[in-house]
Amino acid sequence: MGPIFELPIRLPAKGSRALLRELHRQLRAAIIDGRLKPGSRLPASRALAAALGVSRNTTVAAYDLLLSEGYLESRPGAGTYVATALPQKARRRTRGGSRAAVDPRLAGIWREPPALLQPAPGGPYRFDFRLGHPDIRLFPFQVWRRLSARALRAASRAPAVYGEPEGRPALREAIARYVSFARAVASRPEDVVVTAGAQQAFDLIARILVVPGQTVVAVEDPGYTPLRLAFAAAGAKLAAVPVDGEGLIVDRLPANARVVCVTPSHQFPLGPAMSPRRRAALLDFARAHGVSVVEDDYDSEFRYAGRPLDALQTLDRAECVFYVGTFSKSLFPALRIGFVVPPPWARRALLAAKQLGDWHAPSLVQDTLADFIAEGHLARHIRKIRRIYGERRLSLLAALVRHCGGALEPIEGIAGLHLAARLRSPLRGSEVTMRAASVGIGLESLGRYSVSSRVDALGFGYGLIRAEEIDEAVRRLAPCLA
Amino acid sequence: MGPIFELPIRLPAKGSRALLRELHRQLRAAIIDGRLKPGSRLPASRALAAALGVSRNTTVAAYDLLLSEGYLESRPGAGTYVATALPQKARRRTRGGSRAAVDPRLAGIWREPPALLQPAPGGPYRFDFRLGHPDIRLFPFQVWRRLSARALRAASRAPAVYGEPEGRPALREAIARYVSFARAVASRPEDVVVTAGAQQAFDLIARILVVPGQTVVAVEDPGYTPLRLAFAAAGAKLAAVPVDGEGLIVDRLPANARVVCVTPSHQFPLGPAMSPRRRAALLDFARAHGVSVVEDDYDSEFRYAGRPLDALQTLDRAECVFYVGTFSKSLFPALRIGFVVPPPWARRALLAAKQLGDWHAPSLVQDTLADFIAEGHLARHIRKIRRIYGERRLSLLAALVRHCGGALEPIEGIAGLHLAARLRSPLRGSEVTMRAASVGIGLESLGRYSVSSRVDALGFGYGLIRAEEIDEAVRRLAPCLA
């Protein structure tokens, strides 16, 4: 009987990981407070497992951790012992107020960094209309699991080298083919740069185009806050340009704008598509002033009527447009895969920025996604969810008319993963969302996306809510508008 | 017999993906060049599969792709037809010289971006001594596959929300525990920020600390080029500081340095550990001048003798040190997972920069790695590969003495995934590596890591070469040194 057995070790009845953590914690505690003396011999992992009634894997893993942490040492052929020289215990740092204080060592805007973005306020909600969340319940995880296992097998046979900053060839080929036809966006595999979601695309574009303190960047107002902040962080001088039912009001662009960021397929967050004449006017403006255009095509897959309008990049004849796409909406955000089709003159800089930023996107995810697209799963999945989201959209429109007709006026738009509605009420959107939250309904006041807060509208995402729940949700919302 | 059967379709005998690509390509070609007329009906996918002798999945997937691309349209209850209005064919852009030309729309350094980094010149090699590549053949892919499948199952039950910029709680807990004891680095889960490899850590730190054109950043010479370039891209004024057998020569630091980047565990690329007195001197310098220290602990897991020296972060009493770790060496680079333990005053800025940069690391990889660490697989894997790399290191040292004793002088150092040797030869390192490449040996001249190129040494990585291959490789190298 080794010393270990005098220890009162109580283990949870839970899964092996909980067991392991607990066993590891209790053994380490016993070593630290001296109940297990340095140099004392531990029982064999098998004996300990038997004594505690756990699997041997668990005791082996616990010993492994303690060995790696320096608490135990194994003497070849002689077993496992408590280390004679224990590792220095981790120092608990006192954080004090230093987190809040502004530190002179930080540069520029980082002394007062922007507050962290929250996907949406509060939650969880009984009825969830928050924006930008696809319905993960619809995703074919079995297919993904099979493809990722295959990608892993392939990786196990390849040398562990760093990958190409532009992304894996197979994925770029799949993306190029997909956007070439699905969106008529001109691209060849060598035109595509794979990024960590659309957000990294915005960040990289900002870095290569913005001269800190000088470059004027026009953004939609209201617009997508994370894009605005990425350009602000790069030192851009932001110009908020209003939008109407035809999208960005091109006439309101400042003449000194050097970069213009737009969401032409489905203005975020209000919803209208940019009209053909506005698209032409924007491209004329860009060509005339040598302006770069960032086309954020974040959810154009979800279009419920008519033929898709051509992407700006498709219409572009002056190599002005950076086309940015993402799989966060068609698949799921946690994948963190998006892409850019930059104009040729920007490609080399973009690749350098990408490589210095994080070298390349994780290869296994890229390989899995490449097969997912090449085998037609993406096309199939999008057709499926487009139908389902379309049904939800119709249910939502009907319910808004039925229950909130006087107070909410849906805004035109035939695409996307959410619907915006103007508030015809003495209440502010923010008050309505607070009231709604109190009755278990999550929705967003679109004022939070506006720098001028001249917007008073509500956003209804339908990625998280089922069609059959929508009518009741809106019925419950109605009183919050009175 | 529909028109399809007049098409001579030849399919490869290969796997279903090759079949699918080929079938898709040939059908699309037939539609584009009019062999399949708009409005013509296609046979049912089952009939086509039977006719071509392929699985129905393949024909369904091909139809799915063509439907999503707009080449086909399905009429409910009536089957699949060639679309009457074909999608606009992707425009083939002429790239001309515009890629090479410097474009005024690019900002600052991005007009002449740094050349893309190559992990190592040329390859593949019969004998591969390139630096920085772990041996993927040793990685427990079965375990990883099991854990990633589990992570995927868990994800399929969670809502698809955006994650925390600092990384998943379970991973931060696993990392904090691991480094607290393995490296005596003080950290709690809330101290850890998960990054896309060490490279993103450098990039984020540079962004929050560097005032473009002003901040002086001291780097080791020779040193890790990707780190230097990340700080340069952020606008830092770089000061290259020489290293000797004790690491960075602290006395040579410019007084106006505001950031100092070091590799104290295993100077990259020469190999010596920073001596205790140099560590103390550096921390004194940092405290006295309000300097931030970036500690790149890139491969300290691989230490073959003695107890690990304390990390600078462990010795730091003035909250100067950003501790940067990576799993690119202990697991594999394509994972793109690293982490930072920043000083408290920098945490909020770092999180904001991370979120604006790419929001967060991919969740599935994080969850898989969290379990991999928590269950002891990381500790076990590192103990295993440390033994194997140690054997390779000894074989290498013996072979260098045996075959190249006169021309190469190994540099002291007891850690890491590579060995450096000074060149005692009239030849330059670059000439030797070229000669070596011509006889199938990949190795690096360490001069490429030096801005002053005062270094004439060769680097021998042993992540890609087996112990039993080393003697022959070095024997073949010997004549290249003459």
Side-chain angles (χ1 to χ4, degrees):
Chain A
M1 301 291 279
I4 192 83
F5 296 106
E6 277 107 59
L7 284 179
I9 288 187
R10 276 177 306 283
L11 296 176
K14 298 193 232 101
S16 66
R17 266 178 307 166
L19 276 172
L20 168 59
R21 291 217 182 84
E22 201 41 37
L23 178 58
H24 169 266
R25 191 188 62 73
Q26 293 185 35
L27 286 173
R28 196 181 62 208
I31 294 170
I32 290 173
D33 63 29
R35 282 174 291 150
L36 287 178
K37 297 272 173 299
S40 61
R41 184 165 195 267
L42 270 68
S45 56
R46 184 175 275 105
L48 180 60
L52 299 176
V54 300
S55 87
R56 177 143 182 265
N57 292 342
T58 304
T59 54
V60 168
Y63 280 16
D64 277 336
L65 272 173
L66 293 164
L67 283 162
S68 72
E69 296 168 359
Y71 281 107
L72 300 181
E73 48 199 33
S74 68
R75 303 177 190 165
T80 308
Y81 295 79
V82 176
T84 46
L86 290 182
Q88 166 179 352
K89 182 93 175 62
R91 167 171 49 96
R92 281 273 168 270
R93 215 164 18 188
T94 61
R95 305 280 283 268
S98 53
R99 233 175 330 177
V102 172
D103 193 287
R105 286 170 284 195
L106 292 170
I109 73 141
W110 301 108
R111 295 187 182 186
E112 292 294 351
L116 291 182
L117 301 158
Q118 300 303 331
Y125 298 103
R126 163 100 193 269
F127 301 99
D128 202 336
F129 285 114
R130 288 176 297 170
L131 306 193
H133 299 306
D135 191 340
I136 199 138
R137 295 165 296 199
L138 304 175
F139 184 74
F141 279 99
Q142 292 75 356
V143 172
W144 190 267
R145 182 149 67 241
R146 178 169 55 79
L147 297 181
S148 62
R150 178 200 293 164
L152 197 52
R153 279 192 297 275
S156 69
R157 293 187 294 267
V161 295
Y162 286 83
E164 314 83 347
E166 61 268 43
R168 305 276 282 179
L171 179 57
R172 288 183 288 113
E173 184 191 341
I175 290 173
R177 182 180 296 157
Y178 182 73
V179 298
S180 289
F181 296 95
R183 297 290 295 124
V185 166
S187 68
R188 299 167 299 178
E190 58 269 36
D191 297 327
V192 174
V193 178
V194 176
T195 59
Q199 188 61 30
Q200 188 183 42
F202 303 144
D203 181 64
L204 295 176
I205 293 167
R207 296 172 80 170
I208 65 171
L209 296 184
V210 171
V211 179
Q214 291 180 41
T215 306
V216 175
V217 175
V219 296
E220 297 173 320
D221 181 22
Y224 186 58
T225 310
L227 173 143
R228 193 170 64 232
L229 293 177
F231 277 88
K237 293 165 70 175
L238 295 174
V241 177
V243 300
D244 61 16
E246 296 184 71
L248 184 89
I249 303 174
V250 176
D251 297 345
R252 302 283 293 275
L253 282 170
N256 62 348
R258 284 290 152 267
V259 181
V260 180
C261 303
V262 286
T263 50
S265 295
H266 181 228
Q267 200 278 328
F268 186 90
L270 295 181
M274 194 175 207
S275 65
R277 60 179 190 141
R278 286 277 176 84
R279 291 173 191 243
L282 175 57
L283 290 173
D284 290 342
F285 178 89
R287 186 167 40 241
H289 299 76
V291 164
S292 300
V293 174
V294 178
E295 175 174 31
D296 175 10
D297 201 26
Y298 66 105
D299 69 356
S300 65
E301 300 91 342
F302 309 115
R303 188 174 174 82
Y304 309 107
R307 295 194 69 76
L309 291 162
D310 283 334
L312 287 172
Q313 196 265 11
T314 309
L315 305 170
D316 177 24
R317 293 291 179 274
E319 294 186 346
C320 298
V321 177
F322 293 74
Y323 178 87
V324 176
T326 179
F327 294 99
S328 295
K329 304 291 181 284
S330 54
L331 301 180
F332 49 90
L335 268 190
R336 309 309 305 129
I337 298 283
F339 58 94
V340 191
V341 179
W345 53 268
R347 177 175 169 78
R348 202 172 141 249
L350 196 70
L351 288 185
K354 168 64 179 172
Q355 189 179 52
L356 296 181
D358 65 6
W359 212 299
H360 62 82
S363 301
L364 292 171
V365 181
Q366 290 192 73
D367 294 345
T368 306
L369 180 56
D371 284 351
F372 191 83
I373 299 173
E375 294 185 13
H377 300 295
L378 177 65
R380 192 180 297 111
H381 178 60
I382 287 177
R383 290 218 319 287
K384 170 187 170 188
I385 59 182
R386 184 192 286 136
R387 194 191 74 247
I388 292 170
Y389 290 147
E391 291 163 2
R392 295 178 184 178
R393 182 183 183 84
L394 292 179
S395 307
L396 179 59
L397 281 164
L400 288 174
V401 172
R402 186 177 305 120
H403 303 298
C404 308
L408 288 175
E409 176 192 313
I411 296 174
E412 274 280 333
I414 53 175
L417 199 43
H418 75 276
L419 179 75
R422 291 199 187 284
L423 192 56
R424 298 263 172 269
S425 151
L427 296 172
R428 307 280 308 168
S430 51
E431 296 171 83
V432 175
T433 56
M434 275 187 288
R435 290 184 178 190
S438 70
V439 297
I441 301 171
L443 76 168
E444 296 187 33
S445 167
L446 300 184
R448 70 192 287 252
Y449 296 103
S450 172
V451 290
S452 61
S453 70
R454 75 165 70 80
V455 174
D456 220 6
L458 299 176
F460 296 81
Y462 36 83
L464 298 176
I465 190 165
R466 291 194 170 85
E468 57 271 26
E469 302 172 313
I470 289 176
D471 188 75
E472 181 182 355
V474 176
R475 188 174 53 71
R476 293 182 180 214
L477 174 65
C480 305
L481 300 163
Chain B
M1 302 290 280
I4 192 80
F5 296 107
E6 276 107 58
L7 284 179
I9 287 186
R10 277 177 304 284
L11 296 175
K14 297 193 233 100
S16 66
R17 266 178 308 166
L19 277 172
L20 168 59
R21 292 217 182 84
E22 198 45 34
L23 178 58
H24 170 266
R25 192 188 61 74
Q26 293 184 35
L27 286 173
R28 196 181 60 207
I31 294 170
I32 290 173
D33 64 29
R35 280 173 292 152
L36 286 178
K37 298 271 171 302
S40 61
R41 183 163 195 264
L42 271 68
S45 56
R46 183 175 276 102
L48 180 62
L52 298 175
V54 301
S55 86
R56 178 145 180 266
N57 292 341
T58 303
T59 54
V60 168
Y63 279 15
D64 278 335
L65 272 174
L66 293 164
L67 283 162
S68 72
E69 296 168 359
Y71 281 108
L72 300 181
E73 48 199 31
S74 69
R75 304 178 190 166
T80 309
Y81 295 78
V82 177
T84 46
L86 291 183
Q88 166 180 353
K89 183 96 177 61
R91 169 170 47 97
R92 282 272 169 272
R93 214 162 22 187
T94 60
R95 305 280 284 267
S98 54
R99 232 177 330 177
V102 172
D103 193 286
R105 286 171 284 195
L106 293 170
I109 73 141
W110 301 107
R111 294 185 183 187
E112 291 294 351
L116 292 182
L117 301 158
Q118 300 303 331
Y125 299 103
R126 164 98 195 272
F127 301 101
D128 202 336
F129 285 114
R130 287 176 299 169
L131 305 192
H133 300 305
D135 191 341
I136 198 129
R137 295 165 296 200
L138 305 174
F139 184 74
F141 279 99
Q142 292 75 356
V143 172
W144 191 266
R145 183 149 66 239
R146 178 169 55 78
L147 297 181
S148 63
R150 179 200 291 165
L152 197 52
R153 280 192 297 275
S156 68
R157 293 188 293 268
V161 295
Y162 285 83
E164 316 84 346
E166 61 267 45
R168 305 275 283 178
L171 179 57
R172 288 183 287 113
E173 184 191 340
I175 290 174
R177 182 180 295 156
Y178 182 73
V179 298
S180 289
F181 294 95
R183 297 290 297 126
V185 166
S187 69
R188 300 168 297 179
E190 59 269 35
D191 297 326
V192 174
V193 178
V194 176
T195 59
Q199 187 62 29
Q200 187 183 43
F202 304 144
D203 182 64
L204 295 176
I205 293 168
R207 295 172 82 171
I208 65 170
L209 295 184
V210 171
V211 179
Q214 291 180 40
T215 306
V216 175
V217 176
V219 296
E220 296 173 321
D221 181 22
Y224 186 58
T225 310
L227 173 143
R228 194 170 63 231
L229 293 177
F231 277 89
K237 294 167 70 175
L238 294 175
V241 178
V243 300
D244 62 15
E246 294 184 69
L248 183 89
I249 303 175
V250 175
D251 297 344
R252 302 281 295 274
L253 282 170
N256 62 347
R258 284 290 151 267
V259 181
V260 180
C261 304
V262 286
T263 50
S265 296
H266 181 228
Q267 200 278 327
F268 186 89
L270 295 180
M274 194 175 206
S275 66
R277 59 178 190 145
R278 286 276 176 85
R279 291 172 190 244
L282 175 57
L283 290 173
D284 290 343
F285 177 89
R287 185 167 41 240
H289 298 77
V291 164
S292 300
V293 174
V294 178
E295 175 173 31
D296 175 11
D297 202 26
Y298 66 105
D299 70 357
S300 64
E301 300 92 343
F302 308 115
R303 188 176 174 82
Y304 309 106
R307 295 194 69 76
L309 292 161
D310 283 333
L312 287 173
Q313 196 264 10
T314 308
L315 304 169
D316 176 24
R317 293 290 179 275
E319 294 185 346
C320 299
V321 176
F322 292 73
Y323 177 87
V324 176
T326 179
F327 294 99
S328 295
K329 304 291 179 284
S330 53
L331 301 179
F332 50 90
L335 268 189
R336 308 309 306 131
I337 299 284
F339 59 93
V340 191
V341 179
W345 53 267
R347 177 175 168 78
R348 207 174 135 246
L350 197 70
L351 288 185
K354 169 64 178 171
Q355 189 178 52
L356 296 181
D358 64 6
W359 213 299
H360 63 81
S363 301
L364 292 172
V365 181
Q366 289 192 73
D367 294 346
T368 306
L369 180 55
D371 285 351
F372 191 83
I373 299 173
E375 294 185 12
H377 300 295
L378 177 65
R380 193 180 298 112
H381 178 60
I382 287 178
R383 289 217 321 288
K384 170 187 171 189
I385 59 182
R386 184 193 285 135
R387 195 191 73 246
I388 292 170
Y389 291 146
E391 290 163 2
R392 294 179 185 178
R393 183 182 182 84
L394 292 178
S395 306
L396 178 59
L397 281 164
L400 288 174
V401 172
R402 186 177 306 120
H403 303 298
C404 309
L408 288 175
E409 176 192 313
I411 297 173
E412 275 280 331
I414 54 175
L417 198 44
H418 74 275
L419 180 75
R422 290 198 188 285
L423 192 56
R424 299 262 172 269
S425 152
L427 296 171
R428 308 279 308 169
S430 50
E431 294 171 84
V432 174
T433 55
M434 275 185 289
R435 291 183 177 191
S438 70
V439 296
I441 301 171
L443 76 167
E444 297 187 33
S445 167
L446 300 184
R448 68 192 288 251
Y449 296 103
S450 172
V451 289
S452 63
S453 69
R454 73 165 70 82
V455 175
D456 218 7
L458 299 177
F460 295 82
Y462 36 83
L464 298 175
I465 191 165
R466 292 195 170 85
E468 58 270 26
E469 302 172 313
I470 289 176
D471 188 76
E472 184 183 355
V474 176
R475 188 172 54 70
R476 292 183 180 211
L477 173 65
C480 305
L481 299 163

